[in-house]
Amino acid sequence: GAGVSQTPSNKVTEKGKYVELRCDPISGHTALYWYRQSLGQGPEFLIYFQGTGAADDSGLPNDRFFAVRPEGSVSTLKIQRTERGDSAVYLCASSRGPGGYEQYFGPGTRLTVT
Amino acid sequence: DAKTTQPPSMDCAEGRAANLPCNHSTISGNEYVYWYRQIHSQGPQYIIHGLKNNETNEMASLIITEDRKSSTLILPHATLRDTAVYYCIVRAHSSNTGKLIFGQGTTLQVKP
């Protein structure tokens, strides 16, 4: 079956611009996660959705970052006033539920802020 | 969640067993040991997890010491496609969250 998909695969933007990154989870998965991975580092948790609600947003670095999942399926990560330090691979994962369920990751969106 | 310690890199000959160690000396009684791997330019992939008993699936085996302070992931017959970064993660099966806390992982290089 289809896995987690993310679009775009690559995004280049200028400092100060606004970007949206999209995640399509596996159908039926109620839990959705966003992570960020800088070069040479492990993925870093950003936010977790259970259904439509953000159950844990403790990893969002500041208020320039925001994510939504209005219908409990597709999610969009939004970054305002991008900075060069936001450059990273943004990974999305979904699972059948929270807790111990296996997380399935998408291929990521590589964001470059120039 | 407890932290883990892994060697930064390891080599393994193709066809031989790869044994990847992980220390998690502060693990709590309700925390599981998880292993994920990340092949270059891909998202992480789940491998296996366990609480205290040894576990085996089609990808690997997980050996957890009796005191649960360390574990070893075993790839019985490594292939070139197993070259990846391997992450050992400990987490509780809380109903409130399921976030994974990744460390630096071990870069496994399988050589012909």
Side-chain angles (χ1 to χ4, degrees):
Chain A
V4 177
S5 62
Q6 293 186 246
T7 54
S9 55
N10 282 282
K11 176 71 176 179
V12 180
T13 191
E14 292 180 349
K15 178 177 177 295
K17 298 290 188 181
Y18 167 84
V19 296
E20 290 189 351
L21 311 179
R22 176 187 169 107
C23 172
D24 282 83
I26 293 172
S27 178
H29 280 192
T30 61
L32 185 145
Y33 305 84
W34 284 98
Y35 295 85
R36 176 171 71 173
Q37 186 170 26
S38 301
L39 192 63
Q41 304 294 315
E44 174 191 22
F45 169 77
L46 295 177
I47 187 170
Y48 152 61
F49 287 89
Q50 179 57 37
T52 60
D56 182 356
D57 64 357
S58 61
L60 294 178
N62 51 59
D63 61 6
R64 295 187 297 106
F65 289 74
F66 189 71
V68 296
R69 195 186 184 199
E71 298 179 356
S73 178
V74 171
S75 177
T76 304
L77 179 66
K78 308 180 180 192
I79 310 174
Q80 298 177 321
R81 305 182 304 279
T82 52
E83 300 176 357
R84 292 194 179 88
D86 298 334
S87 296
V89 175
Y90 288 81
L91 294 161
C92 176
S94 71
S95 67
R96 286 188 290 164
Y101 287 102
E102 173 185 347
Q103 293 185 22
Y104 295 83
F105 283 80
T109 293
R110 181 175 297 280
L111 176 67
T112 303
V113 182
T114 61
Chain B
D1 289 330
K3 291 186 177 180
T4 63
T5 304
Q6 299 177 251
S9 64
M10 292 182 65
D11 289 345
C12 178
E14 187 178 20
R16 304 297 294 268
N19 297 282
L20 292 94
C22 179
N23 286 321
H24 32 79
S25 58
T26 60
I27 192 170
S28 300
N30 66 339
E31 289 181 317
Y32 289 71
V33 179
Y34 278 76
W35 285 84
Y36 279 74
R37 74 179 183 184
Q38 188 172 23
I39 294 169
H40 184 61
S41 296
Q42 297 182 20
Q45 174 192 25
Y46 166 82
I47 301 173
I48 198 167
H49 76 281
L51 183 63
K52 54 183 179 180
N53 297 322
N54 297 338
E55 302 289 342
T56 295
N57 63 20
E58 65 279 4
M59 290 182 69
S61 295
L62 174 60
I63 308 298
I64 302 174
T65 58
E66 192 168 345
D67 63 8
R68 303 210 321 122
K69 294 185 177 182
S70 65
S71 60
T72 301
L73 179 74
I74 301 173
L75 307 179
H77 305 286
T79 71
L80 298 179
R81 288 175 296 180
D82 291 323
T83 292
V85 179
Y86 287 76
Y87 296 100
C88 170
I89 300 165
V90 294
R91 67 191 269 235
H93 284 186
S94 166
S95 61
N96 296 323
T97 185
K99 65 183 178 184
L100 298 171
I101 299 177
F102 292 82
Q104 301 276 59
T106 295
T107 299
L108 176 69
Q109 181 73 47
V110 180
K111 299 185 174 182

